[in-house]
């Protein structure tokens, strides 16, 4: 291996990972499948959102994406060549249950049936996520995640997928990053469905939690074999920008809204008191009904942690004021500054991943974790032979896997690491320009070319497993 593919300080930590530590890669349905109107699939909120002028860079859509729907066997062969022991993918709700209610679409389910068999045939463990943001448009028209009924629709859908694949799939993740569905989609308006209402976003968070809990209960009741049940959250830290009371209080608010809002109900069965007070001060209540929190806190076996970066928090606006025009306290996320950044300008902060994992281990003890996503986007340009020598991404992955190993060595129960993403793909509002893949995709020809980072992951996984 060329010298630049080894990072001795990182390797010293990575080499302490146990041989059964899972190393894999992740994708999601809308980002790679394409075939948006085939075999009975109907529109999701992302198909709709992509058509809103200006919503997605360059007007890109997931209509074709990586054409994985048609190239799945070839892609699974690629995973086997890369030595992945686990593949995390998501099921497209509007493909298997068009419209979000009623019977399954046999052709849609058959695709995942073939995918699972193909993976198992190549010795790759399937890690299935039921929801990665592609809500059927009909359910959005009926109120979407701010409406309680959507949680019940999700539990029915989960049972239907489990009924078909539960005999072969052991690892079930209900939701990917409820924060993005709820806050980016309903408060900030930058993801589908493009809403801008705090009350809707808060209701969406609660109903996503409820959807998770209802689905977890259904899967547990239906399972005829041991189930590894998980939910995945996007997490980071929000340190105060300075040590002033204003910034410390802003950081507390950011932590309540961006971190504890997600982990407390699932892992402790309650919403944080300070969050409830902060929301109350803005006239918003979480629409909790009797019994909801017990349902939401149905025990999970694994917590999926997605980590990309962390921000610091200031209580002062760009105008120097500590309240906004409506008299509400300012909570402003800021970059730390002075750090290398990836393509979208996200700071590279592997040490924060260690801190994050140790915090979860301390504050929510007894929950095994898996890093279900971590990776870096760049606007990679292939050389004349189509190769991408992505040294920055390789160094990013190495540093973050080492950060995980460091957290493990300090007591965090982390059992796996999945790189985001297997393939370059549709990066939501960024469209196709930002590339997260271990494997380069030429969207004109759909040719796949593993990058340097893919070879690094393969060689690292071999070393960890002890087959190097
Ligand atoms: O591409 C996304 C993924 O769908 C969810 N987690 C974050 C990734 C990078 O933005």
């Amino acid at each position: 291996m060329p010298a630049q593919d080894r990072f001795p300080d990182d390797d010293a930590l990575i080499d302490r990972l146990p041989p059964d530590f899972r190393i894999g890669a992740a994708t999601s349905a809308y980002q790679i499948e394409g075939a948006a109107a085939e075999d009975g699939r109907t529109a999701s909120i992302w198909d709709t959102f992509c058509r809103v002028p200006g919503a997605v860079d360059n007007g890109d859509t997931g209509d074709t994406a990586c054409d994985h729907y048609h190239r799945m066997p070839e892609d699974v062969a690629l995973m086997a060549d890369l030595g992945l022991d686990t593949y995390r993918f998501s099921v497209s709700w509007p493909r298997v249950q068009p419209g979000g209610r009623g019977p399954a679409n046999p052709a849609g389910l058959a695709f995942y049936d073939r995918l699972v068999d193909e993976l198992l045939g190549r010795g790759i463990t399937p890690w299935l996520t039921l929801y990665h943001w592609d809500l059927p448009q009909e359910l959005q028209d009926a109120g979407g995640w701010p409406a309680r009924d959507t949680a019940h629709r999700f539990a029915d859908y989960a049972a239907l997928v489990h009924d078909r694949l539960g005999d072969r799939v052991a690892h079930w993740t209900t939701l990917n990053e409820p924060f993005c569905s709820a806050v980016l989609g309903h408060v900030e308006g930058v993801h589908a469905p493009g809403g801008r209402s705090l009350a809707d976003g808060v209701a969406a968070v609660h109903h996503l939690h409820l959807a998770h809990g209802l689905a977890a209960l259904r899967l547990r009741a239906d399972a005829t074999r041991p189930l590894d049940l998980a939910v995945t959250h996007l997490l980071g830290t929000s340190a105060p920008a300075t040590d002033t009371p204003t910034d410390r209080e802003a950081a507390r608010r950011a932590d309540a809204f961006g971190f504890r809002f997600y982990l407390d109900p699932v892992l402790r069965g309650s919403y944080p008191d300070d969050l409830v007070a902060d929301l109350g001060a803005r006239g918003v209540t979480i629409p909790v009904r009797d019994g909801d929190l017990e349902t939401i806190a149905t025990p999970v076996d694994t917590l999926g942690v997605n980590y990309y970066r962390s921000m610091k928090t200031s209580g002062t606006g760009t105008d120097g004021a500590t309240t906004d025009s409506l008299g509400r306290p300012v909570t402003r996320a800021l970059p730390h500054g002075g750090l290398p950044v990836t393509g979208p300008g996200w700071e590279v902060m592997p040490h924060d991943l260690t801190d994050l994992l140790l915090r979860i281990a301390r504050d929510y003890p007894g929950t095994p974790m898996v890093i279900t996503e971590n990776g870096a986007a760049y606007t990679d340009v292939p050389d004349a032979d189509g190769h991408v020598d992505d040294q920055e991404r390789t160094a990013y992955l190495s540093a973050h896997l080492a950060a995980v190993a460091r957290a493990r060595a300090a007591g965090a129960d982390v059992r796996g690491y999945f790189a985001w993403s297997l393939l370059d793909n549709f990066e939501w509002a960024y469209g196709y320009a930002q590339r997260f893949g271990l494997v380069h995709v030429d969207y004109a020809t759909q040719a796949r070319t593993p990058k340097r980072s893919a070879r690094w992951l393969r060689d690292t996984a071999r070393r960890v497993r002890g087959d190097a």
Side-chain angles (χ1 to χ4, degrees):
M1 189 187 263
Q4 63 267 42
D5 279 347
R6 295 299 298 264
F7 304 89
D9 292 348
D10 296 345
D11 289 350
L13 288 157
I14 292 170
D15 290 346
R16 295 173 61 184
L17 291 169
D20 63 351
F21 185 85
R22 288 180 182 283
I23 295 192
T27 64
S28 88
Y30 190 68
Q31 293 180 272
I32 65 165
E33 284 179 4
E38 273 182 57
D39 292 341
R41 182 188 182 279
T42 54
S44 77
I45 53 174
W46 269 95
D47 296 276
T48 307
F49 190 64
C50 287
R51 264 104 197 143
V52 175
V56 175
D57 287 356
N58 195 38
D60 289 342
T61 75
D63 287 0
T64 305
C66 307
D67 197 30
H68 171 73
Y69 190 72
H70 299 116
R71 293 164 196 266
M72 180 271 287
E74 171 197 331
D75 288 339
V76 175
L78 188 55
M79 296 173 211
D81 288 346
L82 295 181
L84 302 186
D85 55 44
T86 305
Y87 173 53
R88 173 177 182 251
F89 63 96
S90 80
V91 172
S92 161
W93 189 348
R95 195 182 291 293
V96 307
Q97 192 189 36
R101 43 180 108 232
N105 168 29
L109 264 185
F111 170 72
Y112 297 102
D113 205 61
R114 293 195 301 275
L115 168 61
V116 165
D117 285 345
E118 199 77 31
L119 289 167
L120 293 172
R122 293 202 176 255
I124 301 169
T125 302
W127 189 288
L128 184 154
T129 300
L130 284 159
Y131 184 73
H132 198 124
W133 308 354
D134 42 1
L135 185 73
Q137 182 59 42
E138 287 87 338
L139 292 186
Q140 180 61 34
D141 297 341
W145 288 112
R148 187 177 175 91
D149 185 58
T150 304
H152 292 280
R153 300 286 65 75
F154 177 74
D156 288 351
Y157 152 72
L160 180 151
V161 179
H162 181 262
D163 188 47
R164 177 67 172 260
L165 303 177
D167 59 336
R168 284 154 292 152
V169 176
H171 303 278
W172 292 79
T173 298
T174 51
L175 306 174
N176 180 69
E177 300 178 356
F179 164 84
C180 297
S181 301
V183 177
L184 300 186
H186 294 82
V187 183
E188 298 183 10
V190 294
H191 276 192
R196 286 181 186 274
S197 150
L198 179 63
D200 280 356
V202 166
V205 175
H206 181 64
H207 296 141
L208 282 153
H209 281 319
L210 185 63
H212 156 75
L214 290 168
L217 285 172
R218 286 282 278 279
L219 265 52
R220 288 256 191 253
D222 293 353
T224 54
R225 51 173 282 184
L227 199 66
D228 173 28
L229 198 62
V231 59
T232 276
H233 287 290
L234 177 66
L235 298 168
T237 60
S238 12
T242 67
D243 199 26
T244 59
T246 305
D247 285 352
R248 283 204 306 272
E249 178 59 5
R252 180 207 54 74
R253 283 194 299 276
D255 184 67
F257 190 67
F259 185 97
R260 289 179 282 124
F261 200 179
Y262 299 93
L263 295 197
D264 277 22
V266 175
L267 300 176
R268 291 183 171 165
S270 59
Y271 284 113
D273 291 341
D274 60 331
L275 169 74
V276 172
D278 291 346
L279 292 173
R282 299 185 66 170
V284 173
T285 44
I286 307 173
V288 184
R289 294 194 191 165
D290 281 354
D292 284 3
L293 284 161
E294 288 73 16
T295 300
I296 292 168
T298 301
V300 288
D301 303 295
T302 302
L303 173 68
V305 175
N306 289 359
Y307 175 81
Y308 290 87
R309 57 160 171 177
S310 291
M311 306 285 279
K312 61 185 182 181
T313 311
S314 167
T316 306
T318 44
D319 58 358
T322 55
T323 51
D324 66 13
S325 57
L326 298 174
R328 301 172 305 198
V330 169
T331 310
R332 189 163 59 102
L334 287 173
H336 288 257
L339 295 168
V341 295
T342 64
W346 299 359
E347 290 179 321
V348 179
M349 303 182 64
H351 52 280
D352 247 60
L353 176 55
T354 306
D355 295 348
L356 172 69
L357 295 170
L358 289 172
R359 177 196 177 177
I360 298 171
R362 185 193 67 221
D363 292 353
Y364 307 91
T367 310
M369 293 175 268
V370 165
I371 307 301
T372 37
E373 287 181 26
N374 174 245
Y378 296 97
T379 48
D380 301 324
V381 179
D383 66 18
D385 300 323
H387 294 295
V388 176
D389 190 17
D390 59 340
Q391 300 204 23
E392 283 176 298
R393 181 178 294 103
T394 307
Y396 178 103
L397 296 174
S398 172
H400 284 76
L401 183 56
V404 172
R406 189 180 291 112
R408 256 189 76 95
D413 184 3
V414 192
R415 301 184 179 183
Y417 175 92
F418 306 155
W420 182 268
S421 179
L422 175 71
L423 302 171
D424 289 339
N425 59 46
F426 175 73
E427 178 48 28
W428 308 111
Y430 291 112
Y432 292 98
Q434 293 296 340
R435 293 173 176 268
F436 270 97
L438 300 167
V439 175
H440 180 265
V441 176
D442 177 334
Y443 295 112
T445 62
Q446 292 293 349
R448 274 80 160 132
T449 311
K451 305 176 191 175
R452 174 187 290 276
S453 55
R455 294 189 292 278
W456 171 85
L457 192 71
R458 178 198 63 199
D459 295 345
T460 302
R462 278 186 189 149
R463 244 180 36 244
V464 169
R465 280 198 300 265
D467 348 307

